[in-house]
Amino acid sequence: MNRLLSNVVGSFVEAWQELRIHKTRVMLSLIGVAVAVCAITTVVGLGAVAQQALQEQNEQQGGRAATLSLYVAKYDGTPVDAEVMEELWTTTLDRYGIDYASRVVNSSQTVQFADGAVPVRVTAVDQPYGTMHRVRLTEGDWFGATDADRLAPAVLVNQVFYDRLGQPDLATHPTTTLLGDRPTTAVITGVYPVSTWDTEPAMYLLADTLAGLSSPEQQAANGVVPNYEMWVPAGLSEELTKAIQRDFTAAIGSGTNVSVSRQDYAAFNEDPFGSIKLLVAGVAGLVLLLGALGLVNIALVTLKQRIREIGVRRSFGATAGRVFFSVMMESIVATLVAGVVGVIGAVLIVTNPMLQGFISQGAVTDFPPFPVEAAILGLVCATVVGALAGLLPALVAVRVKVIDAIRY
Amino acid sequence: MTLLHLAGVTRTVQLIDAPPLTILSGVDLDVAVGDRVSIVGRSGSGKSTLLNLLGLLDNPTTGDLEFDGRPVKSFSSAERDRVRGRDVGFIFQQFNLLQGRTALENVMTPLLYAQGKQFWQRARIATEMLDRVGLGHRLGAMPDKLSGGEQQRVAIARSLVRGPRLILADEPTGALDLETGADVMALLDEVATGSGAALITITHDPAIAALATRHLRLDHGVLTVVGAPDDSALLGGDVPDDLRDDDLAAVPA
């Protein structure tokens, strides 16, 4: 134990001395490793931001895992009676104990702006939709339980819409006029962010609000058929899909198309980010390999100059194992330091707001912190590269003929 | 007490496309604690090979080599390294101080391979040792800032810092002028005497060889005992024929 401890400490001391003395060589060889580790950590770190962006976008579009989508329409194109559907929908939710469910109607609503009436994309939903699609607001709050009872309906507008209004303070209860059969004044209660490429105004309404804005005939004429979404446990999704399909088909009867399917991103692939991860890992691995090759190269060249020193150490009792370990240690200590530098660089790069904005394209509301696994991966890679790059020189060092090395 | 015992030791090297080359043949030697042995010989006479064997860096092809009563062949590789570190101190012609390390760090180097007290208190032990060779004021000096004599004194401190029982000095004054060489040898003798270690000096220099109490000559791989040189050798005067080495300038300018 005592021998092991003094051997390990001794090797560290030797490695540190060696690094201190050959600063320039070490710096040169480590620049490659530091850059490689920085690259691999940055790529993994940015991968996490990109993944978050992708996931948020997917969740906003398709809902969280597992979101079931129910679509019912008659084969002749006429809508199913709204009351029947309403009844069936409520019963189904009760029967299966589904708490998070929402009707989703995509429609268009003319809105009066200062510069004229403009058609605005509307997504009419129920209150749980905000949680199901992880909708985040930059200002105000998502629909509350009492919003359905408002006399002036609540409306959530996107940033483009809000900018167009001149960004009024929400505390002053700004209003907007929804035109149509029954022009209505709505109160803006929240603002949600948009991607940088999204330049059109849009808004969320409660489904009941939308129904009140135009007559059922008008809606039918517009071809508005609601979609029904349910957020269910992923493990139960298949059973529920079958059960709900069966229930609706039985209740509505023939001549109707009932379709229940998963629509969230996780439904399409086991690991939707697998291919991205693979690509990132491949590129990073290649970068690291190049760094390692540079390190081995420099280590081997400089070893020639160190043969005498190794001979001297051997003559003073350094065992072959000790020489091997010391040379190896030197490589590992050096690459570990380079790894730390690389990781720090990567953290600075990844958390840079400009870069984050570029990667996320405004689609990420919730920036993940710098992923710890990326930092650990960087350090592990540095250590492994150090060990691998140290292996060859260490093997050469062990084979040094002591007296020849000293006397040559 | 016999420290080293060589009986009928030969060392041959296998060459490609040539018959084996015999470098040492029938070497008999006993070295006891406290002995002062000098070995002279021409270049190519097998001095390096003998040094390898005496320093436990190599095994004989045939014959017996015992260290401290134990056959060296029975040692494992690591054990041999450890015995060498503990019991053998090397002094080289070119000093072979580790560049870029201070005098103190150089003297501490052998203690890095020790255990226990010697390892953990290496700085204190090395400082004391440098003090003993009169370099207590140059602890932080780099080798290239030290004179030749000072470098060799650091090397002596380094070889003795673990308290070896055998000191192998390979041309210890070869790179020093006459006066400095004599100083260094006097110091080496004094420190070796103080620690009770055996001192084997391999040298071209008859004057240095004359300081030993036993004189050996290596010629074409055969080790023979020769008589003691007279005092005139020490003064750079006539050297007995059997100590004369033709292929060298005894004292570099």
Side-chain angles (χ1 to χ4, degrees), chain A residues 123-144:
Chain A
T123 311
V125 297
D126 287 319
Q127 196 255 335
Y129 183 92
T131 310
M132 291 165 66
H133 286 252
R134 220 194 274 275
V135 180
R136 291 208 163 73
L137 304 177
T138 46
E139 285 186 62
D141 296 308
W142 180 255
F143 298 119

Side-chain angles (χ1 to χ4, degrees), chain B residues 222-236:
Chain B
V222 179
L223 193 66
T224 51
V225 179
V226 297
D230 62 31
D231 286 350
S232 61
L234 296 175
L235 304 169

Side-chain angles (χ1 to χ4, degrees), chain A residues 348-373:
Chain A
L348 291 179
I349 292 172
V350 172
T351 52
N352 182 301
M354 265 174 65
L355 193 76
Q356 281 192 335
F358 178 72
I359 292 287
S360 65
Q361 289 295 313
V364 177
T365 49
D366 215 17
F367 272 106
F370 188 85
V372 177
E373 62 267 25

Side-chain angles (χ1 to χ4, degrees), chain B residues 189-213:
Chain B
D189 190 59
E190 180 200 322
V191 182
T193 307
S195 67
L199 173 63
I200 300 178
T201 312
I202 292 180
T203 181
H204 282 118
D205 187 347
I208 298 301
L211 292 171
T213 52

Side-chain angles (χ1 to χ4, degrees), chain B:
Chain B
M1 186 188 139
T2 303
L3 192 61
L4 265 181
H5 171 71
L6 285 80
V9 165
T10 62
R11 185 74 179 92
T12 54
V13 182
Q14 292 292 332
L15 300 176
I16 304 164
D17 298 335
L21 178 67
T22 301
I23 302 171
L24 293 176
S25 57
V27 173
D28 299 318
L29 177 66
D30 278 293
V31 179
V33 172
D35 268 359
R36 298 283 176 278
V37 181
S38 72
I39 301 172
V40 293
R42 297 167 181 235
S43 297
S45 59
K47 294 198 299 283
S48 295
T49 308
L50 184 59
L51 192 71
N52 269 325
L53 293 174
L54 298 177
L56 309 184
L57 291 164
D58 197 5
N59 275 325
T61 310
T62 62
D64 297 326
L65 169 59
E66 290 178 5
F67 188 90
D68 209 12
R70 288 180 62 198
V72 170
K73 273 184 180 165
S74 71
F75 291 177
S76 72
S77 167
E79 199 175 359
R80 217 165 53 179
D81 291 329
R82 278 195 283 275
V83 170
R84 179 169 61 244
R86 190 183 63 221
D87 288 331
V88 184
F90 285 87
I91 296 166
F92 309 102
Q93 178 177 10
Q94 298 299 335
F95 322 132
N96 280 328
L97 297 183
L98 304 180
Q99 295 303 311
R101 277 88 162 173
T102 63
L104 183 64
E105 281 172 335
N106 263 285
V107 178
M108 277 159 65
T109 300
L111 295 169
L112 282 175
Y113 310 115
Q115 277 106 45
K117 219 178 196 178
Q118 280 203 333
F119 177 81
W120 297 110
Q121 301 191 0
R122 56 191 184 279
R124 182 184 61 77
I125 297 169
T127 308
E128 282 173 11
M129 200 64 223
L130 275 168
D131 243 356
R132 270 179 72 186
V133 300
L135 287 174
H137 60 295
R138 308 289 320 256
L139 298 180
M142 292 292 175
D144 53 6
K145 297 280 182 283
L146 295 169
S147 70
E150 284 176 325
Q151 287 190 51
Q152 195 59 306
R153 280 196 277 166
V154 173
I156 289 172
R158 182 176 64 177
S159 73
L160 292 169
V161 74
R162 286 189 69 181
R165 290 192 289 165
L166 173 65
I167 301 164
L168 292 174
D170 182 15
E171 308 275 7
T173 59
L176 301 174
D177 62 57
L178 188 64
E179 204 174 325
T180 312
D183 285 350
V184 163
M185 283 312 291
L187 171 73
L188 184 56
D189 190 59
E190 180 200 322
V191 182
T193 307
S195 67
L199 173 63
I200 300 178
T201 312
I202 292 180
T203 181
H204 282 118
D205 187 347
I208 298 301
L211 292 171
T213 52
R214 291 169 59 197
H215 310 275
L216 305 169
R217 182 182 180 90
L218 193 61
D219 205 3
H220 296 103
V222 179
L223 193 66
T224 51
V225 179
V226 297
D230 62 31
D231 286 350
S232 61
L234 296 175
L235 304 169
D238 288 342
V239 173
D241 282 348
D242 50 3
L243 271 177
R244 189 178 294 283
D245 226 348
D246 302 333
D247 62 337
L248 53 91
V251 180

Side-chain angles (χ1 to χ4, degrees), chain A residues 108-283:
Chain A
S108 180
Q109 173 68 47
T110 310
V111 175
Q112 182 68 54
F113 286 101
D115 54 352
V118 176
V120 170
R121 206 171 65 241
V122 177
T123 311
V125 297
D126 287 319
Q127 196 255 335
Y129 183 92
T131 310
M132 291 165 66
H133 286 252
R134 220 194 274 275
V135 180
R136 291 208 163 73
L137 304 177
T138 46
E139 285 186 62
D141 296 308
W142 180 255
F143 298 119
T146 55
D147 279 339
D149 304 330
R150 283 170 178 267
L151 293 176
V155 60
L156 302 175
V157 301
N158 73 357
Q159 192 66 44
V160 179
F161 193 124
Y162 190 52
D163 290 346
R164 227 160 147 169
L165 290 181
Q167 301 188 346
D169 187 354
L170 291 190
T172 63
H173 306 292
T175 58
T176 183
T177 308
L178 311 177
L179 304 173
D181 297 344
R182 306 169 202 161
T184 307
T185 301
V187 182
I188 296 167
T189 56
V191 181
Y192 60 96
V194 290
S195 308
T196 40
W197 61 78
D198 203 350
T199 53
E200 294 299 315
M203 60 185 179
Y204 282 113
L205 284 177
L206 283 170
D208 290 334
T209 308
L210 183 70
L213 290 177
S214 50
S215 60
E217 297 75 28
Q218 181 68 36
Q219 287 179 37
N222 286 348
V224 174
V225 179
N227 206 22
Y228 297 85
E229 287 185 2
M230 291 153 277
W231 184 26
V232 300
L236 295 176
S237 66
E238 276 186 41
E239 286 172 50
L240 282 171
T241 304
K242 284 180 196 153
I244 294 167
Q245 173 112 28
R246 189 189 57 220
D247 292 355
F248 270 77
T249 313
I252 298 175
S254 58
T256 314
N257 174 24
V258 176
S259 152
V260 184
S261 60
R262 269 185 80 168
Q263 59 164 15
D264 56 280
Y265 67 95
F268 306 116
N269 199 333
E270 276 298 303
D271 183 0
F273 307 108
S275 51
I276 295 181
K277 281 180 188 163
L278 210 64
L279 189 75
V280 165
V283 172

Side-chain angles (χ1 to χ4, degrees), chain A residues 86-96:
Chain A
E86 193 64 33
E87 170 83 28
L88 262 175
W89 172 241
T90 321
T91 324
T92 305
L93 297 185
D94 280 348
R95 181 179 304 146
Y96 298 109

